[in-house]
Amino acid sequence: MSPILRIENVTKDYVGHRALDDVSMEVPRGSIYGLLGPNGAGKTTLIRVVNHMTFPDKGKVWFEDHEITEKDIFNVGYMPEERGLYKKMKVGEQAVFFARIHGMSKTEAIIKLKGWFDRLGIADWWDKKVEDLSKGMAQKVQFIITVVHEPKLLIFDEPFSGFDPINQNLLKEEILGLRDRGATVIFSTHNMESVEEICDDITLINKSRNILSGPVDEIRRKAGGNTFQVIYSGDREEFNSIISGKADLIGDTEGLIGGYNQQKIHIPEDSDIRPIIGAINEKLGLRSFQEIIPSMNDIFIRAVNGTL
Amino acid sequence: MNSKIRLIIEREFTERVRKKSFIIVTILTPFLLVLCMFGPMLLIGLSSDSAKTQKVAVVDNSQGQYVGTRLESDDKVEFSLLPSGTSTEEAHMRYARHEDFYGVLVIGEDILNNPGDMMLINHGTTSMGTEEIIRNRIQGILRNERLSRYENDNIDQILADANIRVNIRTMEVDTKTKNGDGIKASSTGASYGLGLILAMVIYMIIIVYGQQVLQSVIDEKQTRVLDVIITSCKPFELMMGKVLGIALVAFLQILIWGVLILVFSTIITPLVLGNMGIDLSSATQAMSASGSPEFAGIVSKITDLSYLSKLFISMLLYIVGGFLFYASMYAAIGSAVDTPQDAAQFNSVLMIPIMIAIYAMIAVMQNPSSDMAFWFSIIPFTSPVVMMARIPFGIPTWEIVVSIAVLYISFVIMIWLAARIFRVGVFMHGKKPTWKDLGDWIRMK
């Protein structure tokens, strides 16, 4: 399937610094796409380029099969990191206003909005003023405003900040639900746990450049570098001689309670792991043989520090 | 009209009109205005109504000049002449502290030749009004007395003859008569007053509502509402929606004020005055009957329908054009900054042409047909205020047409420029832009 969004060698300069430097990425249709990177890396600029809020100095942005136009922006729902709501306006009226600005009719807007308000448990707030809401409450309203007109592409900037764990889960479920109903979701976040849980693909931007892109599973496996953790009972020397020539030891062997030993090993990419497992199992008591897959948190830190 | 612009206008309008502050200001302002206009009249009426007759004891030391005996009492001041020979001290002791008496008037020995020799002793609260009455009475007596020394039989006639009041009847050429040689009554005073009021109204609208446009854009930028809206509508639509929405609020407010002022001045004021025994219509009739030319001029002006409609139409055109011209600049500034503090610098620069317009207007009204007057009413920065002040004096229609044409062409250019700043400015956060930045944004592709 063709990607819904393709960013092609985009460069954006501000006075005195380059916010985006030759960034390319592809967002597959129907995926949940994580846009990661340290503060000030250029994520928000990238989102703004997609939203037509600013224009790239070089490069192109493609939406579906054509270069993105103003019309396509109406198919993009955007929730900025710093939430934007009229403080003095009533929640319901405000939501209807935004839904209509996004092209819905008044009746349709009210029906759809009431549905969302019920689902997120905030139906009672319809007539409250935004300034009377807590941060989390306002966040929910903002979320509904972003999604109510059912845009094809949703962009959330730090959607989980300001939510308690219960509401974070609620929001995660809703985002997955939107994806299942056909929307594509891009979200920028620092919360690596949520990336592992819901993202299909990611792009990691650091110092204005795309330094890592791809499906989450693949990235994690690659970052693991074919390292395994073996726990066995028996002689350490014997273990080392079995392994020698087939794999490299990483670090020292640790003794564990119950006489077990634990050892990290690296197996070359092209070799089969089954003979190694077989050999260990034959001579020693093999308790555990597990591939080490680094967390997104590790990957993030290593990638940003240039040690991946 | 584009449905997005309409939505933004609708929101801007309803949110503002529903505010308590709008309702209060809208209702209170004309009330205060009428109070300011008629308040002094009412107060004078009330205080003169309640004022009781002041008793003044008179010690007349000018025996033989008979000033004291000639002081006539009326319902305001009652003079009671103390028997001759009463000393000042005695009168002072007896009457100056007496609560029925306002005070003691002591007339000097040679008051006729030494008019300053007079004293009013009183126990505390002096009243300007009473003092004035006493002074006028004495003055009148002394003047008559001195004049009678000339022993001229015709003295009364001479006096009446010399006592004249000069009035200039201002007439203006009535362009509607065939040869343009007809004239009609005019009034410089009325033109001046009317011009001043109209110009000030335009000035207030530009400042007050222009600031609201500025504030509204800054608010949306600060709360990041702009980021959400802008994904769905063009910056130009947003800017026009805001400017027009606020213009509608201004329009509604002026309409309500107009109606309320009309109601106050045609129904309520005559009622109040009537209750106080002041009959407005008979006063009006009396004034016209007395042939006051100034009054005739005013009446001729405010009853001339074509004059009034010319005034009203140009007022409307200048309010709309002037407001849109300035409001688009305010919108551009609002879009470029993050906080009202940052806006102050640009705002004060924008105030300069508006202030110049006010100063020019004051100068122009001294001579509404000067070259300076002409040019200030063509330049769009000053024309709404200056021209509006001039129109009541009677300005050739072609001048008004040129001025309005220039204003509207400039406002289209200004909106275009503002929109170019706006579309970049709304996304700029952080650094306060310079004038040069604004120029760069205009040129930006």
Side-chain angles (χ1 to χ4, degrees):
Chain A
M1 215 190 316
S2 71
I4 190 164
L5 185 77
R6 192 148 57 85
I7 290 163
E8 211 177 82
N9 309 101
V10 164
T11 296
K12 173 79 191 172
D13 283 315
Y14 287 124
V15 185
H17 91 118
R18 178 157 284 193
L20 292 173
D21 187 3
D22 198 27
V23 171
S24 299
M25 68 182 227
E26 269 185 22
V27 179
R29 191 187 300 271
S31 67
I32 296 184
Y33 201 96
L35 194 55
L36 321 180
N39 295 322
K43 289 171 295 186
T44 304
T45 306
L46 186 61
I47 289 174
R48 287 173 165 233
V49 167
V50 173
N51 267 339
H52 261 209
M53 288 162 78
T54 184
F55 294 89
D57 298 323
K58 270 186 234 149
K60 283 177 180 165
V61 179
W62 297 78
F63 188 81
E64 297 184 319
D65 54 353
H66 54 273
E67 238 184 283
I68 198 161
T69 64
E70 218 146 82
K71 240 176 148 185
D72 297 317
I73 305 300
F74 299 150
N75 284 315
V76 176
Y78 172 46
M79 181 160 107
E81 182 179 2
E82 289 167 73
R83 313 302 181 216
L85 293 171
Y86 291 107
K87 291 199 173 62
K88 304 271 175 200
M89 225 174 154
K90 281 181 186 167
V91 172
E93 281 173 7
Q94 171 146 229
V96 172
F97 167 74
F98 279 113
R100 290 177 71 195
I101 276 278
H102 288 135
M104 296 175 88
S105 77
K106 195 172 179 178
T107 354
E108 192 193 0
I110 292 175
I111 294 169
K112 286 261 166 69
L113 283 168
K114 294 263 185 194
W116 272 103
F117 272 58
D118 279 340
R119 198 145 82 229
L120 293 189
I122 57 172
D124 300 345
W125 304 348
W126 187 268
D127 280 323
K128 275 195 185 159
K129 275 193 182 170
V130 170
E131 57 189 354
D132 298 331
L133 303 184
S134 72
K135 193 181 173 206
M137 290 166 155
Q139 207 99 316
K140 281 188 181 177
V141 176
Q142 188 91 51
F143 177 80
I144 294 174
I145 286 171
T146 312
V147 303
V148 67
H149 57 296
E150 294 169 4
K152 288 183 188 169
L153 178 63
L154 288 159
I155 303 178
F156 299 114
D157 207 341
E158 287 292 348
F160 302 115
S161 74
F163 278 126
D164 58 53
I166 293 170
N167 279 314
Q168 275 190 21
N169 269 336
L170 183 69
L171 203 67
K172 249 177 236 168
E173 291 306 314
E174 290 301 337
I175 290 177
L176 289 170
L178 286 164
R179 195 252 328 253
D180 295 343
R181 289 195 291 278
T184 307
V185 179
I186 297 179
F187 76 90
S188 112
T189 185
H190 294 125
N191 181 341
M192 293 304 137
E193 225 171 281
S194 64
V195 173
E196 279 168 28
E197 276 177 58
I198 64 174
C199 282
D200 303 312
D201 304 82
I202 61 135
T203 279
L204 201 163
I205 294 178
N206 187 37
K207 292 183 183 152
S208 319
R209 298 186 72 96
N210 178 353
I211 57 168
L212 185 66
S213 246
V216 173
D217 294 346
E218 210 175 279
I219 286 175
R220 289 182 68 190
R221 179 147 303 138
K222 261 195 189 156
N226 242 22
T227 37
F228 296 84
Q229 186 183 56
V230 188
I231 297 175
Y232 63 92
S233 57
D235 186 36
R236 292 182 185 187
E237 293 302 322
E238 191 162 10
F239 177 81
N240 293 352
S241 70
I242 294 165
I243 293 297
S244 122
K246 300 189 184 80
D248 305 318
L249 299 176
I250 300 173
D252 295 330
T253 307
E254 292 170 41
L256 297 177
I257 296 167
Y260 294 147
N261 290 318
Q262 176 177 296
Q263 175 68 53
K264 277 185 195 162
I265 58 170
H266 173 256
I267 300 174
E269 298 280 330
D270 49 359
S271 52
D272 195 352
I273 61 168
R274 281 176 302 183
I276 301 172
I277 296 172
I280 301 169
N281 197 29
E282 209 180 301
K283 303 275 175 60
L284 300 162
L286 180 60
R287 313 303 302 187
S288 160
F289 191 96
Q290 190 181 21
E291 183 167 8
I292 296 171
I293 296 178
S295 67
M296 279 312 292
N297 212 40
D298 281 346
I299 293 172
F300 182 93
I301 292 167
R302 283 161 61 194
V304 169
N305 291 334
T307 56
L308 189 67
Chain B
M1 199 194 288
N2 177 314
S3 69
K4 298 264 158 85
I5 296 188
R6 208 168 3 174
L7 255 175
I8 292 163
I9 292 176
E10 187 187 307
R11 197 203 75 83
E12 205 67 49
F13 180 78
T14 47
E15 280 302 304
R16 278 165 200 283
V17 168
R18 266 192 280 171
K19 267 193 205 156
K20 276 196 200 91
S21 58
F22 174 84
I23 298 169
I24 292 171
V25 167
T26 307
I27 292 175
L28 275 190
T29 306
F31 182 72
L32 288 175
L33 205 71
V34 170
L35 209 67
C36 286
M37 278 159 60
F38 295 100
M41 218 197 277
L42 293 179
L43 282 179
I44 290 169
L46 286 175
S47 72
S48 63
D49 200 41
S50 64
K52 60 175 199 265
T53 311
Q54 303 281 10
K55 275 192 195 170
V56 176
V58 181
V59 176
D60 189 358
N61 296 327
S62 70
Q63 303 301 336
Q65 291 181 343
Y66 308 110
V67 174
T69 48
R70 270 182 279 178
L71 278 170
E72 282 170 24
S73 298
D74 61 9
D75 59 349
K76 291 215 174 65
V77 181
E78 186 188 324
F79 296 99
S80 64
L81 189 60
L82 301 178
S84 63
T86 314
S87 73
T88 307
E89 289 72 29
E90 206 181 326
H92 181 187
M93 295 298 288
R94 202 170 333 148
Y95 298 104
R97 299 223 176 111
H98 198 295
E99 52 184 38
D100 285 348
F101 280 83
Y102 174 76
V104 179
L105 176 70
V106 182
I107 299 174
E109 272 173 39
D110 189 13
I111 185 75
L112 209 51
N113 297 310
N114 186 9
D117 189 10
M118 210 168 50
M119 188 164 56
L120 185 64
I121 307 165
N122 138 312
H123 54 81
T125 52
T126 51
S127 141
M128 295 282 285
T130 311
E131 259 186 65
E132 184 74 24
I133 291 170
I134 297 172
R135 191 178 319 122
N136 284 341
R137 291 285 159 74
I138 304 274
Q139 215 163 294
I141 294 168
L142 294 185
R143 192 176 56 199
N144 287 339
E145 193 60 35
R146 283 190 182 192
L147 284 169
S148 66
R149 288 184 194 166
Y150 291 96
E151 291 180 356
N152 188 327
D153 293 343
N154 293 334
I155 194 81
D156 288 345
Q157 202 189 330
I158 294 172
L159 272 179
D161 220 31
N163 198 2
I164 52 167
R165 184 164 167 253
V166 177
N167 271 317
I168 298 180
R169 283 202 293 156
T170 5
M171 309 299 277
E172 60 190 6
V173 175
D174 190 347
T175 47
K176 274 175 303 193
T177 53
K178 228 183 248 169
N179 308 319
D181 56 355
I183 51 172
K184 60 185 178 189
S186 171
S187 157
T188 311
S191 306
Y192 192 93
L194 203 57
L196 195 69
I197 291 172
L198 296 179
M200 288 316 272
V201 166
I202 291 203
Y203 165 75
M204 294 295 293
I205 286 172
I206 289 176
I207 296 276
V208 172
Y209 287 98
Q211 292 289 339
Q212 288 198 17
V213 172
L214 176 75
Q215 193 57 47
S216 161
V217 177
I218 294 179
D219 278 352
E220 286 191 12
K221 210 181 158 186
Q222 264 180 337
T223 55
R224 304 279 168 156
V225 173
L226 269 179
D227 290 12
V228 180
I229 292 189
I230 225 73
T231 54
S232 284
C233 75
K234 296 177 193 153
F236 179 76
E237 293 170 334
L238 179 65
M239 189 182 93
M240 282 317 287
K242 283 195 161 301
V243 169
L244 293 177
I246 292 174
L248 268 186
V249 178
F251 185 77
L252 177 73
Q253 195 163 46
I254 292 166
L255 200 72
I256 295 176
W257 284 348
V259 171
L260 286 182
I261 288 175
L262 209 70
V263 169
F264 274 130
S265 53
T266 58
I267 300 175
I268 297 180
T269 316
L271 267 182
V272 174
L273 293 178
N275 277 343
M276 290 167 34
I278 303 168
D279 186 347
L280 208 59
S281 67
S282 65
T284 314
Q285 272 167 15
M287 275 178 89
S288 347
S290 71
S292 159
E294 184 68 5
F295 192 76
I298 296 174
V299 170
S300 134
K301 280 231 182 255
I302 61 175
T303 51
D304 182 347
L305 262 187
S306 79
Y307 172 80
L308 282 183
S309 52
K310 185 174 166 187
L311 213 59
F312 183 74
I313 290 169
S314 30
M315 180 79 180
L316 212 63
L317 287 172
Y318 277 111
I319 286 186
V320 172
F323 174 76
L324 294 181
F325 182 73
Y326 273 101
S328 49
M329 284 191 270
Y330 278 117
I333 292 174
S335 75
V337 299
D338 284 339
T339 61
Q341 290 77 25
D342 285 352
Q345 167 207 341
F346 296 102
N347 203 1
S348 52
V349 173
L350 205 52
M351 282 303 290
I352 294 173
I354 304 180
M355 289 321 291
I356 290 178
I358 286 294
Y359 291 128
M361 172 199 79
I362 293 165
V364 156
M365 287 179 77
Q366 303 301 322
N367 187 0
S369 50
S370 63
D371 280 354
M372 180 186 126
F374 174 78
W375 287 110
F376 273 121
S377 13
I378 298 294
I379 299 168
F381 284 95
T382 53
S383 68
V385 170
V386 173
M387 191 54 129
M388 231 28 248
R390 286 175 71 209
I391 288 179
F393 291 95
I395 298 294
T397 309
W398 71 266
E399 263 190 48
I400 301 179
V401 171
V402 170
S403 160
I404 287 180
V406 171
L407 178 64
Y408 276 70
I409 293 169
S410 328
F411 115 64
V412 170
I413 296 173
M414 194 51 84
I415 283 192
W416 182 80
L417 287 176
R420 293 191 68 82
I421 294 179
F422 195 91
R423 94 212 137 105
V424 182
V426 285
F427 303 122
M428 291 290 175
H429 290 281
K431 192 174 139 286
K432 186 170 80 172
T434 61
W435 289 101
K436 187 182 161 294
D437 291 333
L438 299 191
D440 289 346
W441 297 352
I442 290 173
R443 281 191 298 275
M444 207 179 269
K445 183 161 60 84

